[in-house]
């Protein structure tokens, strides 16, 4: 529900005040940003569920059973990834209802969805680690996931980075969420050097890096729950 | 790779486990014969949950040996997991799933064939009195129903050794009685059970052997009756409404046992410890008091509770206290605590 509100809010309330040079107007600029943010926010549920399972002994119960120790973690991440994909598709549907249109053909559209999903999975690995490491549901909610906010808002998700104060631009231009959203936008709307937009390759390197670091960390905290 | 087959389902020797500076277990020894119930009794922080988690392969011991059904929990963890069931201290069910789905998933994850899982789940739902709510999400269940579902989930694969960490915490009195009934039935079918509890009457009710744990050590063990004998056995107690007849009453019951009767003048109550002679002493007391022509009220025999045992062996009541255990330990009191 919350992503739908974001779409409507930015499309109709803030949108009029935000000027971008996108083909098809602000709604086309906005949607890749909202989709990436939605994917990132969806991982809250993963972190909180894992924290609950750790404290409530669900993970203990599974670990005392004759099965692969990481199967439960893998199962949850796969299920949450599928749920995330569904949410992304729903949000694209909502976007279409308010005027969003892919400008770059089917391949571009599919590419954007896949990149959004890959981005969501990478964020999910971090959230899973946070949930399992902190374990206290309220702490996870209160501060465990706070980093998602600056990363998604101080990015090119809603406004062009060039409109920000210059000190903020330094951060916004060099953080992975901006790269990912720029690459998604290029695929959805057509951009320089499609499909070999440099932002795409830089994004993929970032996402791979995040996964390489955080998947083992999440698995390790899962094994140490207790 | 079975290590030995000596009739013990659980064998623990010199088990130590620390969390940083907290010595949760400081040398635990246990031997639980197959098909029997061990009650592990202790106050908050005694180390009960830690012991259960080591015994169920969830925590590695720092030192010592733990063997479950002949398999070492460190070297043969997988073999141990195929034989145990665990219901932890917190209810560990999936709230979004129905009761039936919870059980069936646990069964499938334990590699049971689909068909037998279905039958077994239905049977457990029936037995645990949740059949009516079987197809509702577990989050709509009451606390007691969730706890019962949790216990049912630990039984789906018919484990031969079952670990229940405070199974009746949070249940109302009826729920506790129901849970006891189920536990007795299980044990009747040959399951070995290790049960932790803070309720003394629960250990008394269910366990063949009780170990009292405090500060990570076993400070007393035996059958519930042996432990009670340590504090002087049964207590005969009555009131004498006519104050002038108290002395006659005391004279009448004085010969019942070696210990002298005590009198509480304020309440006009007379107490005498009668060891393990229990009901025989009761009959004898009635006869003597009657012969002496003394009228009494509330004549009754009290079994000392395990609370009394706890007090006698630790020197403090069952509340966790900040003392360090070793220095507070007293030899079991000879007399009957009042
Ligand atoms: N994961 C852990 N990390 C640090 N300390 C721990 C951990 N688990 C238990 N402890 C400590 O070990 C001691 C024993 O705890 P344990 O949970 O085994 O007690 P318990 O007998 O089960 O108590 P309760 O009746 O409250 O459930 C306590 O001092 C506890 O704080
Ligand atoms: Mg405990």
């Amino acid at each position: 529900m919350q992503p739908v509100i974001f779409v409507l809010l930015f499309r109709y309330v803030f949108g009029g005040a935000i000027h971008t040079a996108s083909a098809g107007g602000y709604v086309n600029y906005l949607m890749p940003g909202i989709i990436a943010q939605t994917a990132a926010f969806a991982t809250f549920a993963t972190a909180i569920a894992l924290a609950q399972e750790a404290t409530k002994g669900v993970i203990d119960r599974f670990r005392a059973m004759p099965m692969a120790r990481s199967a439960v973690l893998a199962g949850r991440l796969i299920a949450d990834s599928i749920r995330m994909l569904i949410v992304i598709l729903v949000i694209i549907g909502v976007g279409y209802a308010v005027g969003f249109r892919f400008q770059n053909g089917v391949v571009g559209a599919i590419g954007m969805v896949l990149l959004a999903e890959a981005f969501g999975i990478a964020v999910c690995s971090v959230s899973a680690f946070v949930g399992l490491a902190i374990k206290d549901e309220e702490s996870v909610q209160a501060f465990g996931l706070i980093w998602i906010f600056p990363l998604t808002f101080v990015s090119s998700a809603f406004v062009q980075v060039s409109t920000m104060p210059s000190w903020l631009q330094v951060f916004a231009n060099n953080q992975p969420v901006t790269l990912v959203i720029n690459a998604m936008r290029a695929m959805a709307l057509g951009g320089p050097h499609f499909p070999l937009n440099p932002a795409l390759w830089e994004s993929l390197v970032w996402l791979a890096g995040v996964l390489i670091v955080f998947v083992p960390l999440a698995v390790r905290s899962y094994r140490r729950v207790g | 790779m079975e290590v030995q087959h000596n009739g013990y389902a659980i064998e623990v020797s010199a088990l130590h486990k620390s969390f940083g500076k907290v010595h949760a277990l400081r040398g635990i020894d246990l031997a639980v014969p197959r098909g029997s119930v061990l009650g592990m009794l202790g106050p908050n922080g005694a180390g009960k949950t830690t012991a259960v988690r080591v015994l169920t392969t969830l925590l590695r011991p720092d030192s010592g040996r733990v063997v479950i059904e002949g398999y070492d929990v460190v070297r043969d963890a997988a073999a141990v997991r195929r034989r145990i069931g665990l219901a932890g201290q917190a209810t560990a069910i999936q709230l979004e799933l129905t009761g039936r789905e919870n059980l069936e998933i646990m069964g499938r994850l334990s590699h049971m064939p689909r068909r037998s899982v279905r039958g077994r789940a239905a049977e457990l739902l029936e037995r645990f009195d949740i059949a009516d709510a079987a197809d509702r999400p577990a989050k709509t269940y009451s606390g007691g129903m969730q706890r019962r579902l949790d216990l049912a989930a630990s039984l789906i694969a018919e484990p031969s050794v079952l670990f229940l960490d405070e199974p009746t915490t949070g249940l109302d009195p009826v729920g506790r009685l129901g849970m006891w009934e189920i536990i007795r039935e299980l044990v009747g079918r040959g399951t070995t059970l290790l049960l932790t509890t803070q309720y003394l009457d629960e250990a008394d009710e269910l366990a063949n052997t009780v170990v009292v744990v405090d500060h990570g050590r076993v400070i007393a063990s035996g059958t519930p009756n042996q432990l009670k004998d340590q504090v002087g056995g049964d207590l005969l107690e009555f009131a004498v409404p006519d104050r002038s007849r108290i002395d006659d009453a005391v004279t009448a019951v004085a010969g019942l046992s070696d210990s002298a009767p005590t009198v509480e003048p304020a309440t006009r109550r007379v107490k005498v410890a009668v060891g393990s002679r229990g009901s025989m002493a009761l009959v004898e007391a009635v006869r003597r008091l009657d012969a002496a022509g003394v009228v009494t009220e509330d004549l009754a025999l009290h079994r000392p509770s395990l609370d009394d045992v706890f007090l006698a062996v630790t020197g403090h009541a069952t509340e966790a206290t900040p003392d360090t255990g070793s220095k507070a330990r007293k030899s079991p009191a000879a007399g009957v605590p009042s």
Side-chain angles (χ1 to χ4, degrees):
Chain A
M1 203 48 222
Q2 188 219 25
V4 177
I5 293 170
F6 267 62
V7 172
L8 299 178
L9 200 61
F10 277 90
R11 168 77 176 86
Y12 293 112
V13 180
F14 302 137
I18 303 172
H19 297 286
T20 57
S22 283
Y26 181 62
V27 69
N28 279 354
Y29 181 87
L30 172 69
M31 285 313 295
I34 292 260
I35 289 166
Q37 194 195 42
T38 302
F41 281 11
T43 67
F44 275 59
T46 307
I48 290 165
L50 285 171
Q52 277 174 347
E53 291 185 357
T55 39
K56 289 190 60 200
V58 175
I59 293 178
D60 263 9
R61 161 162 281 164
F62 285 130
R63 286 177 53 220
M65 289 172 66
M67 55 195 249
R69 291 210 136 183
S70 314
V72 177
L73 183 59
R76 165 158 301 280
L77 295 185
I78 290 167
D80 286 354
S81 306
I82 292 169
R83 193 172 309 157
M84 186 184 293
L85 186 60
I86 293 169
V87 172
I88 290 172
L89 296 176
V90 168
I91 281 297
I92 291 174
V94 174
Y96 258 74
V98 298
F100 167 72
R101 295 292 178 270
F102 282 109
Q103 306 286 319
N104 203 16
V106 177
V107 176
I110 293 175
M112 188 211 76
V113 170
L114 291 181
L115 181 58
E117 178 73 11
F119 169 68
I121 291 171
V123 178
C124 195
S125 71
V126 184
S127 296
F129 166 64
V130 168
L132 289 167
I134 297 183
K135 283 185 288 194
D136 176 56
E137 186 188 339
E138 268 156 36
S139 310
V140 170
Q141 259 169 340
F143 59 83
L145 301 170
I146 229 150
W147 47 273
I148 289 185
F149 290 92
L151 282 176
T152 54
F153 281 105
V154 187
S155 75
S156 63
F158 302 102
V159 297
Q160 285 176 326
V161 173
S162 59
T163 63
M164 296 177 190
S166 54
W167 56 271
L168 210 52
Q169 287 189 25
V170 176
F171 172 74
N173 272 324
N174 292 293
Q175 59 115 331
V177 178
T178 296
L179 287 173
V180 169
I181 291 173
N182 288 348
M184 285 171 60
R185 212 167 259 144
M187 286 195 278
L189 308 179
H193 317 297
F194 174 81
L196 300 177
N197 188 300
L200 177 59
W201 303 116
E202 289 170 37
S203 306
L204 293 178
V205 170
W206 264 102
L207 298 184
V210 168
L211 287 169
I212 287 169
V213 173
F214 284 95
V215 168
L217 282 176
V219 170
R220 199 183 65 145
S221 347
Y222 176 82
R223 295 212 163 120
R224 290 191 176 177
V225 158
Chain B
M1 278 249 293
E2 199 130 345
V3 180
Q4 56 205 150
H5 225 62
N6 54 7
Y8 288 114
I10 303 174
E11 290 177 277
V12 177
S13 55
L15 174 60
H16 288 259
K17 178 74 195 175
S18 299
F19 301 102
K21 287 200 180 104
V22 180
H23 301 290
L25 302 177
R26 319 171 184 223
I28 299 270
D29 298 286
L30 302 172
V32 185
R34 288 215 169 84
S36 74
V37 181
L38 178 76
M40 186 180 279
L41 189 65
N44 288 135
K48 304 181 296 294
T49 297
T50 305
V52 167
R53 299 189 76 232
V54 173
L55 267 55
T56 53
T57 76
L58 297 173
L59 282 177
R60 274 179 89 93
D62 293 342
S63 64
R65 213 166 82 99
V66 179
V67 177
I68 307 289
E69 294 273 81
Y71 295 94
D72 187 285
V73 290
V74 177
R75 287 200 313 273
D76 291 319
V80 171
R81 289 187 201 122
R82 277 195 292 277
R83 288 163 176 80
I84 61 171
L86 165 67
Q89 189 162 359
T91 307
I93 53 179
Q94 306 281 331
L95 294 175
E96 326 80 62
L97 301 183
T98 68
R100 191 187 309 279
E101 287 165 347
N102 264 288
L103 296 187
E104 292 186 353
I105 283 179
M106 298 309 285
R108 295 291 293 147
L109 290 173
S110 310
H111 309 296
M112 290 170 72
R114 196 179 297 271
R115 181 184 296 267
S116 48
V117 165
R118 202 165 297 159
R120 176 93 178 124
E123 177 193 325
L124 286 168
L125 288 164
E126 194 66 46
R127 180 63 197 88
F128 284 73
D129 213 11
I130 28 187
D132 290 342
D135 298 305
R136 273 187 0 221
K139 64 175 169 239
T140 67
Y141 289 13
S142 73
M145 288 163 81
Q146 291 183 355
R147 198 68 188 139
R148 293 204 297 276
L149 178 62
D150 190 54
L151 182 54
S154 69
L155 297 175
I156 187 93
E158 310 200 44
S160 50
V161 185
L162 183 63
F163 295 86
L164 303 179
D165 197 358
E166 303 196 17
T168 65
T169 299
L171 294 186
D172 64 15
V174 176
R176 285 182 78 202
L177 290 177
M179 189 68 85
W180 288 0
E181 192 58 44
I182 290 168
I183 290 171
R184 280 199 203 94
E185 196 180 299
L186 273 171
V187 174
R189 291 199 213 131
T191 308
T192 307
L193 172 64
L194 187 154
L195 162 101
T196 79
T197 182
Q198 294 181 39
Y199 298 118
L200 307 159
D201 56 333
E202 185 160 290
D204 194 6
E205 196 67 38
L206 297 173
N208 305 104
T209 309
V210 175
V211 292
V212 183
V213 178
D214 196 25
H215 299 98
R217 289 198 182 89
V218 175
I219 55 171
S221 68
T223 65
N225 282 332
Q226 283 169 345
L227 290 181
K228 287 172 180 180
D229 288 344
Q230 284 190 17
V231 291
D234 295 345
L235 187 66
L236 184 76
E237 188 178 343
F238 58 89
V240 184
D242 182 354
R243 195 178 293 274
S244 64
R245 302 299 313 272
I246 290 180
D247 286 345
D248 295 333
V250 168
T251 313
V253 297
L256 283 176
S257 75
D258 297 339
S259 42
T262 56
V263 181
E264 267 176 34
T267 56
R268 297 190 293 272
R269 297 188 80 78
V270 178
K271 296 179 181 181
V272 57
V274 294
S276 57
R277 295 180 48 244
S279 46
M280 252 163 52
L282 181 65
V283 172
E284 183 68 17
V286 171
R287 194 174 294 141
R288 290 184 186 197
L289 288 164
D290 190 45
V294 179
V295 179
T296 61
E297 274 174 1
D298 302 339
L299 179 73
L301 193 65
H302 294 291
R303 310 279 293 129
S305 72
L306 284 170
D307 265 320
D308 300 327
V309 176
F310 208 89
L311 193 63
V313 288
T314 64
H316 61 79
T318 48
E319 289 81 26
T321 50
D323 68 52
T324 55
S326 51
K327 78 171 191 283
R329 198 155 314 142
K330 286 197 289 194
S331 56
V336 178
S338 50

